[in-house]
Amino acid sequence: MLLQGIAAAPGVAMGPALVLKNDTHTVQRYEIAPEQIQEEAERLEAHIRLAISQLEALIEQTRAAVGSEQAKIFESQIWLLEDEEFTGAAKEAILSKRINAEAALDDASKAIIGIFESMEDEHLRERAADIRDITNRVLRLLEGKDARPQQESGAPVILVAHDLTPSDTAQLDRSSTAGFVTDIGGRTSHSAIMARSMEIPAVVGSREGTVQVRTGDYVIVDGSLGQVYINPEPAIIEEYKAKQIRFAARRDELKKYGGQPSRTADGHRVELVANIGNAQDALAAKQSGAEGIGLYRTEFLYMGRQQFPTEQEQFQAYKVAAEIFGKDQPVIIRTLDIGGDKELPYLDLPKEANPFLGYRAIRMCLDETELFKTQLRAIVKASAYGNIKLMFPMIATLQELRQAKALLAEVQNELEWENVKFNRSMEVGIMIEVPGAALVADQLAKEADFFSIGTNDLVQYVMAADRMNERLAYLNEPFQPAVLRIIDHVIQAAHREGKWVGMCGEMAGNLTAIPILLGMGLDEFSMSGGAVLAARALLHQLDRHEMKQLADEVLQMTSSEHIKLHVESRVPAIAEWRA
Ligand code: PEP
Ligand code: MG
């Protein structure tokens, strides 16, 4: 079976699935003879034991793949299976109703689900889902429908989940997770972005992944085409083994671009830098050939923990990245951009109807000045150790930029008083991701040292299409004429003020977009580390003047499909380097 989703992170992964979700079941029901009662009760008991041992194995796999938090789900399921209240009631039903084990278990399960569902406490109500899940597991075993390939212990799994939060994804262990598939999400949801930076092949927005795939199924994830094969024919497996080999060969071929400058065939220099979420990523980015960091998503330092990181912890995390890239190569640290799909469990903010349009990023930081100033202190202190630049996210108005800069100046003055060394001339830029900011880019460019265009958000706001919604992928599309025009507007406005412009949204690493952006005059391209070498290889084959003409043509075109086809036919090298 083949599922078509959204290509989230290139590459091919194959292996046994680990599904992080419940499934449903139809149950056989028949009467049994009195002399079968004992045997039927023993049959039930044996399969409950089997289910417990499966769950124990799942706990280990889940712990390794996604962390202890997710594994707890299975721990509480074991606890429920060991609870006499539930399984005892099933055995009792075999005796009193003289029915088969499956039907008895189903009856006991429904009764207990009814009790849980009527409870006030939300946490207890959620236990109903666990009862459903364990009932299905035991039923499948009882009916002998669990004859799926046994997973080799320790073999990397293909994780299949309804959704993975950014912090789930951040905790994925590369050695135990070969790839992942989610039901929902778009190409610029943060789980997709992280999969690309971790180089884990992934498909998001498959819609039915958790419905169609069962734990233990053999799954192929084609993260380049957005396809998921479930228990494919041997011929398809062979085809994909060959594809994996081609993918590895391309990666080897690209290695020769590692130490080379990022310039076009006619000698025009741009910067190819990487997006990272922590200090370890900085090293990986350097090894992938990035000439610096164009976006350090600092919110990841705040995730997967119970309280805010201290100034000292943050200082260390920024300093390490600065030192990896040295005095010349830039490390752009973006201040906290929490909100949207990135939540902090310990920051108790009210639930919002539209989180992407809500109290997030700089909006929150300008309110929570203590939290913000702690981060600013850490960044300013780290600026003494490399070429750090600071960037504010989600700026919508000039007043927000001024307020943020005023807080930064306070911090710098305090540190001066304390005799702490730092770089007084650190550049301070902003992300352009709110259409309102893009339209006043001329005003903002007078007071910001640089811009970095955040297309992940900019596209969703320009097109009014949630970046997490797989049904809106046709609108959430950086090649939409409206998006290209606003990007061009921002670049020209900044250049008129003598400021440089980068892009750190996912579009910057898109091989079809690079020729257009180069033609528009973009100065810096920031992408996942794994995309840098292909971008550089392509750049070497482009002529800046020809691309300027291409950009002018594209800006007059009327559909994203035509624009992509036009660029790809004018620049055949795109196909050569595509993953
Ligand atoms: C963006 O919006 O393009 C961006 C780079 O920021 P994030 O993806 O973290 O919202
Ligand atoms: Mg953004």
Side-chain angles (χ1 to χ4, degrees), residues 190 193 295 297 334 337 342 431 433 454-457 467 504-505:
H190 282 93
I193 291 173
L295 169 63
R297 284 189 168 92
R334 175 176 77 179
D337 181 7
K342 292 173 288 197
M431 291 196 61
E433 45 190 345
T455 48
N456 305 341
D457 279 316
R467 67 196 260 189
C504 58

Side-chain angles (χ1 to χ4, degrees), residues 288-579:
S288 325
E291 299 163 290
I293 298 303
L295 169 63
Y296 191 152
R297 284 189 168 92
T298 58
E299 49 280 7
F300 286 101
L301 302 174
Y302 291 67
M303 290 180 185
R305 46 187 296 147
Q306 297 310 316
Q307 70 282 323
F308 291 108
T310 61
E311 179 186 318
Q312 184 60 18
E313 281 175 86
Q314 294 193 58
F315 164 69
Q316 280 302 340
Y318 307 148
K319 175 172 173 268
V320 167
E323 286 176 338
I324 287 172
F325 285 95
K327 280 277 165 216
D328 294 326
Q329 297 189 316
V331 173
I332 302 182
I333 302 185
R334 175 176 77 179
T335 59
L336 185 62
D337 181 7
I338 217 67
D341 62 340
K342 292 173 288 197
E343 287 181 11
L344 286 189
Y346 53 90
L347 183 67
D348 203 15
L349 293 174
K351 279 258 170 278
E352 295 185 320
N354 295 300
F356 276 105
L357 301 179
Y359 185 67
R360 58 174 286 204
I362 199 71
R363 303 165 180 193
M364 187 197 78
C365 286
L366 292 177
D367 240 12
E368 303 281 337
T369 47
E370 192 137 341
L371 171 72
F372 191 38
K373 281 176 76 178
T374 304
Q375 181 175 42
L376 291 176
R377 276 179 70 91
I379 299 172
V380 172
K381 279 162 76 177
S383 71
Y385 297 88
N387 181 10
I388 284 184
K389 300 176 200 285
L390 186 144
M391 176 159 79
F392 299 121
M394 287 292 291
I395 292 285
T397 68
L398 185 58
Q399 289 64 38
E400 283 177 342
L401 171 59
R402 287 183 179 159
Q403 275 184 59
K405 283 177 73 172
L407 288 167
L408 174 66
E410 265 179 42
V411 163
Q412 287 173 322
N413 291 339
E414 283 162 20
L415 287 170
E416 210 154 66
W417 266 99
E418 292 168 32
N419 265 331
V420 176
K421 60 172 184 169
F422 63 89
N423 173 14
R424 253 285 171 196
S425 48
M426 173 177 71
E427 283 185 36
V428 179
I430 60 173
M431 291 196 61
I432 298 285
E433 45 190 345
V434 176
L439 293 173
V440 294
D442 56 331
Q443 299 173 350
L444 290 164
K446 290 191 170 60
E447 301 190 25
D449 295 324
F450 64 90
F451 287 164
S452 184
I453 305 175
T455 48
N456 305 341
D457 279 316
L458 185 63
V459 174
Q460 73 166 346
Y461 300 138
V462 168
M463 300 309 297
D466 189 333
R467 67 196 260 189
M468 303 289 286
N469 191 333
E470 64 284 354
R471 290 190 158 81
L472 304 179
Y474 76 103
L475 287 174
N476 208 301
E477 163 60 84
F479 295 93
Q480 284 289 352
V483 174
L484 294 177
R485 286 187 180 192
I486 206 163
I487 290 172
D488 186 55
H489 169 81
V490 170
I491 296 174
Q492 309 323 327
H495 284 177
R496 275 195 291 275
E497 291 299 326
K499 303 293 165 69
W500 65 268
V501 190
M503 177 180 286
C504 58
E506 293 302 301
M507 182 183 190
N510 181 316
L511 294 182
T512 306
I514 288 172
I516 307 175
L517 298 170
L518 178 75
M520 290 176 176
L522 193 75
D523 303 289
E524 178 236 46
F525 298 68
S526 192
M527 57 196 75
S528 63
V532 168
L533 294 185
R536 187 170 295 146
L538 174 65
L539 205 64
H540 279 205
Q541 288 167 272
L542 302 179
D543 178 283
R544 163 93 165 89
H545 298 285
E546 278 174 24
M547 294 309 116
K548 163 117 189 46
Q549 196 185 336
L550 179 70
D552 289 344
E553 285 160 19
V554 153
L555 284 169
Q556 299 312 316
M557 294 178 72
T558 55
S559 89
S560 59
E561 286 313 312
H562 285 140
I563 289 172
K564 283 188 275 190
L565 287 173
H566 183 66
V567 175
E568 286 165 14
S569 72
R570 282 279 301 274
V571 186
I574 293 171
E576 195 181 325
W577 298 114
R578 176 165 285 150

Side-chain angles (χ1 to χ4, degrees), residues 26-46:
T26 358
V27 181
Q28 307 170 353
R29 174 173 296 266
Y30 51 90
E31 259 185 45
I32 55 170
E35 59 276 18
Q36 286 178 297
I37 289 174
Q38 178 66 17
E39 193 187 318
E40 201 61 8
E42 283 169 7
R43 190 166 77 90
L44 179 59
E45 178 60 29

